[in-house]
Amino acid sequence: PPLHTLLNLDEIEAAAKTQVSKKCWAYYFSAGDDLFSKYYNGSVFRSILLRPRVFVDCTTTSTATTLLGHKVGTPLYVSPAAMARLAHPDGEAGIAKGISSFGAMQLISNNASQTPEQIVADATPGAIFGWQLYVQTTRSKSEAMLARINKLPQFKSIVLTLDAPHPGKREHDEKSNLEAQLVVDSASNDKSSDEKRPGGGGVGQQLFWGTAADLTWDTTIPWIRKHTSLPIVLKGIQTHEDAYLTARYARAHPGSIRAIILSNHGGRALDTAPPAVHTLLEIRKYCPEVFDTIEVWIDGGIKRGTDVVKALCLGAKAVGVGRAALWGLGAGGWQGVERTFEILQGEIETCLKLLGVKTVAELGPRFINTRMVERD
Ligand code: FNR
């Protein structure tokens, strides 16, 4: 169907399903075990109610904000997700093109299907990117990658993903295995080489090959600092304890970690791990000072503009979409991504107006009722 007839993200996903290969669908759709966390990521937003105020002039609204000190047109960003070219030849560069008119940030996966140089080649002036790092067991490979990123001024952060030291058990993906060769050829990171990669296990397991599982507080951040001066973002924080430890580290080492992403990897790592909403509520309760020390970004299950606004009300500074961008790409290449962002941005603006809010900076807990989630 023509893209303009698709009115919400479920319709985009359904359209993508008819366009992409079975393997691509299985890889993107899949999540750990029973997909509980994947679905709960989305449904938890339905348990938070909005509290609209009246008599507010909302003729004009703005979603502009800053992330790590850089201006962006919207708090909505693209989460790092591997292998965009499985969905469409436009790939990660197509996602960049699709979101360019919204001034949104894009995080590029360590396992992107295009190189970082290709992705930023045609980037719009002012567009900002982050590079997601899966530290490799052969550290020199990651060091070489960081050296390449340091040379590309569009990259403003290194996003260290911590929630997947081991691949989750993703049965949809395992059932529809992909030829190892495609993965090796497509990975932007240096995954080539003579290492013998085991066959089977799905795309996720294939891509995971070579990823380090021995990262710790003591060694990892100092090592990254040695190889880049870019701000570090920790992705995959799922408890208030780890949020607290990150903020404590950030205070003790200024200029190191500048943000955390509350995420359960779209439910793809540990099934029944909490959605970001629960972690946001925990942080508000036990260590609210975290919000003053580092930026808190979230992702997982975003389907509607109201989901984004609710996360902002709980203290998130930015809200990411993983699958939504990939499904947009699958549904219609870069124009499909543009349509996806048009829908979400439109919904965010409608939500702000109906809430009685002019800018995202005004959002706060007074605009939501979380009683139903806190009872869970
Ligand atoms: C991911 N995600 C991910 N995260 C990461 O840090 N590095 C990666 O390479 C990938 N790869 C990846 C592939 C695919 C197909 C998906 C769906 C996801 C996780 C991603 O960044 C994000 O946390 C989730 O996708 C957010 O959930 P939603 O928006 O997909 O519900």
Side-chain angles (χ1 to χ4, degrees):
L3 290 168
H4 71 270
T5 65
L6 304 175
L7 299 185
N8 58 52
L9 269 50
D10 284 334
E11 291 181 3
I12 301 242
E13 180 174 337
K17 192 175 177 184
T18 66
Q19 305 287 316
V20 303
S21 69
K22 280 207 172 68
K23 279 166 185 163
C24 171
W25 181 83
Y27 174 58
Y28 289 179
F29 179 86
S30 66
D33 294 1
D34 298 310
L35 284 64
F36 175 85
S37 289
K38 172 181 162 163
Y39 287 122
Y40 190 47
N41 281 349
S43 66
V44 72
F45 285 108
R46 253 101 281 164
S47 301
I48 298 177
L49 301 181
L50 288 162
R51 304 183 65 247
R53 300 302 303 269
V54 299
F55 275 138
V56 179
D57 176 359
C58 51
T59 326
T60 54
T61 50
S62 167
T63 60
T65 184
T66 60
L67 296 177
L68 305 175
H70 303 282
K71 283 188 185 151
V72 286
T74 172
L76 187 65
Y77 71 90
V78 177
S79 296
M83 305 290 288
R85 290 186 67 219
L86 272 182
H88 193 281
D90 287 353
E92 287 81 4
I95 295 179
K97 188 171 176 186
I99 66 172
S100 62
S101 57
F102 303 94
M105 176 179 72
Q106 181 179 2
L107 305 181
I108 306 295
S109 164
N110 187 99
N111 298 326
S113 56
Q114 292 169 311
T115 66
E117 292 84 3
Q118 285 168 339
I119 297 165
V120 300
D122 298 319
T124 357
I128 65 168
F129 295 81
W131 178 261
Q132 181 259 321
L133 185 68
Y134 278 135
V135 175
Q136 303 297 295
T137 42
T138 310
R139 294 290 197 273
S140 57
K141 288 187 179 183
S142 295
E143 290 165 8
M145 204 61 229
L146 289 172
R148 282 167 68 185
I149 298 302
N150 288 337
K151 290 196 195 118
L152 301 169
Q154 295 90 340
F155 282 88
K156 307 297 186 194
S157 65
I158 296 300
V159 178
L160 180 66
T161 296
L162 295 171
D163 57 12
H166 184 84
K169 181 166 180 276
R170 304 182 198 148
E171 295 167 13
H172 283 88
D173 185 25
E174 273 183 56
K175 281 205 178 105
S176 97
N177 205 355
L178 185 85
E179 302 77 20
Q181 193 51 43
L182 174 60
V183 176
V184 174
D185 287 347
S186 304
S188 132
N189 211 355
D190 176 17
K191 290 247 171 194
S192 55
S193 86
D194 37 13
E195 285 166 29
K196 261 215 165 310
R197 184 181 293 269
V203 184
Q205 304 250 359
Q206 293 282 334
L207 287 170
F208 183 78
W209 184 247
T211 305
D214 59 351
L215 308 188
T216 60
W217 273 114
D218 299 340
T219 54
T220 310
I221 308 294
W223 166 74
I224 295 180
R225 297 307 301 150
K226 240 197 303 179
H227 295 280
T228 183
S229 55
L230 287 170
I232 298 170
V233 178
L234 299 190
K235 178 170 184 279
I237 300 294
Q238 296 163 86
T239 57
H240 69 86
E241 290 92 332
D242 280 336
Y244 171 84
L245 289 177
T246 312
R248 194 177 70 174
Y249 189 98
R251 270 195 306 275
H253 304 84
S256 58
I257 304 170
R258 296 272 301 280
I260 48 177
I261 304 180
L262 309 182
S263 171
N264 59 24
H265 214 104
R268 296 163 75 81
L270 180 62
D271 198 23
T272 67
V277 161
H278 279 237
T279 316
L280 275 172
L281 287 167
E282 279 186 18
I283 298 173
R284 295 191 75 83
K285 189 165 171 189
Y286 298 111
C287 47
E289 71 279 7
V290 166
F291 293 106
D292 305 323
T293 315
I294 48 181
E295 291 187 8
V296 179
W297 306 348
I298 71 126
D299 74 19
I302 299 298
K303 282 276 180 79
R304 289 284 188 187
T306 49
D307 301 342
V308 175
V309 171
K310 288 169 187 175
L312 298 175
C313 288
L314 283 169
K317 186 98 169 86
V319 179
V321 286
R323 292 184 185 83
L326 296 171
W327 294 135
L329 194 66
W334 71 267
Q335 290 105 325
V337 177
E338 187 172 58
R339 180 70 186 135
T340 302
F341 263 64
E342 192 175 70
I343 291 170
L344 272 174
Q345 268 296 112
E347 289 178 355
I348 294 171
E349 277 160 29
T350 301
C351 179
L352 293 182
K353 286 181 198 293
L354 293 178
L355 260 190
V357 169
K358 288 197 264 283
T359 66
V360 290
E362 290 167 46
L363 292 170
R366 67 186 185 281
F367 289 104
I368 50 175
N369 178 333
T370 54
R371 223 168 291 153
M372 279 197 277
V373 189
E374 282 166 291
R375 216 181 41 197
D376 281 359

